[in-house]
Amino acid sequence: MKRIAVLASGSGSNLQAIMDAIERRDITNAEVAVVISDRKNAYALERARQKSIPVKHQSSKNYQSREDYDRDLVTYLTEQQIDLVVLAGFMRLMTPHFVAAYPNRILNIHPSLLPAFPGAHGVRDALAYGVKVAGCTVHFVDEGMDTGPIILQEAVPVYDSDTEESLQERIHELEHRLYPRAIELWVQDKIKIQGRRCFIDD
């Protein structure tokens, strides 16, 4: 049984999709072992409590640096025997120390078709640029900002009437389907990395 730690800063809708996928057995041989947030009132923590999943609030205010924060986080995850770290709206850039502790074992989902529009405002930036197609990307985390090898991507059309909110809503629907699939592929060891490319043995 693979032990997953989900790191979230917000409402936790992707966390909910992951937990639901585990219950449906769309993700097999894995469990969400802990949910961690840097924000005390993140609703993701409440979603986990409702499923009797352990939670941890780790505030950055208690640390002098990002490195100190991540060292404590790695220590805790090691104690919890975590196999896979899943970032689900965790609004912190992971340090090299953290990435080195979990090579090819950190996943992130981003609301754009990377490498286009990385960073915190992918949907807003895509809409402002005037793209006709948007989407989301599941990728491994490396030391850069949304630069790790791409596992899965899926696109949605951008309509003339779209607002940031309406486009974000359609992208969220994709995320809730794509992220559990990527996690299941990882759990089943079906992702092979060659250079920057991920090949799926599916």
Side-chain angles (χ1 to χ4, degrees):
M1 181 71 70
K2 299 295 185 182
R3 291 173 59 80
I4 300 171
V6 177
L7 279 56
S9 297
S11 70
S13 64
N14 272 307
L15 165 65
Q16 188 68 55
I18 292 164
M19 295 189 299
D20 291 347
I22 290 173
E23 288 187 357
R24 294 192 307 267
R25 296 196 59 78
D26 290 339
I27 299 174
T28 56
N29 197 35
E31 63 179 351
V32 177
V34 65
V35 174
I36 301 169
S37 181
D38 57 335
R39 297 180 181 175
K40 183 178 182 179
N41 296 321
Y43 190 65
L45 297 178
E46 179 59 27
R47 291 181 190 270
R49 292 187 186 104
Q50 291 173 5
K51 297 291 187 179
S52 300
I53 295 171
V55 301
K56 178 178 175 62
H57 168 234
Q58 184 168 320
S59 174
S60 60
K61 296 177 181 178
N62 300 327
Y63 296 89
Q64 296 286 334
S65 68
R66 290 172 51 235
E67 288 74 15
D68 289 343
Y69 183 99
D70 278 8
R71 285 192 188 95
D72 265 11
L73 190 53
V74 167
T75 297
Y76 176 77
L77 294 174
T78 301
E79 291 170 353
Q80 298 300 311
Q81 298 180 308
I82 295 302
D83 299 295
L84 178 67
V85 177
V86 172
L87 307 184
F90 192 59
M91 302 308 290
R92 295 179 60 84
L93 185 64
M94 313 314 292
T95 61
H97 175 77
F98 192 96
V99 174
Y102 289 92
N104 300 327
R105 293 195 290 151
I106 311 170
L107 302 186
N108 185 46
I109 192 159
H110 182 74
S112 80
L113 296 172
L114 293 173
F117 312 113
H121 305 292
V123 176
R124 181 189 307 172
D125 293 343
L127 201 58
Y129 197 85
V131 299
K132 299 301 183 183
V133 176
C136 62
T137 304
V138 183
H139 64 95
F140 285 108
V141 173
D142 61 11
E143 296 178 10
M145 173 75 77
D146 301 320
T147 56
I150 291 169
I151 302 168
L152 296 174
Q153 288 183 307
E154 195 162 332
V156 294
V158 177
Y159 302 126
D160 292 342
S161 59
D162 265 328
T163 63
E164 183 179 346
E165 291 73 23
S166 65
L167 181 55
Q168 180 76 71
E169 184 176 346
R170 291 207 310 285
I171 291 174
H172 271 155
E173 292 177 5
L174 285 185
E175 291 179 353
H176 298 162
R177 178 160 38 85
L178 212 62
Y179 216 178
R181 183 182 168 213
I183 292 168
E184 171 68 357
L185 290 172
W186 187 92
V187 168
Q188 299 301 325
D189 195 28
K190 291 186 175 182
I191 307 170
K192 309 302 179 187
I193 305 175
Q194 295 181 17
R196 284 204 48 82
R197 299 184 67 187
C198 290
F199 295 87
I200 307 301
D201 179 17
D202 196 19

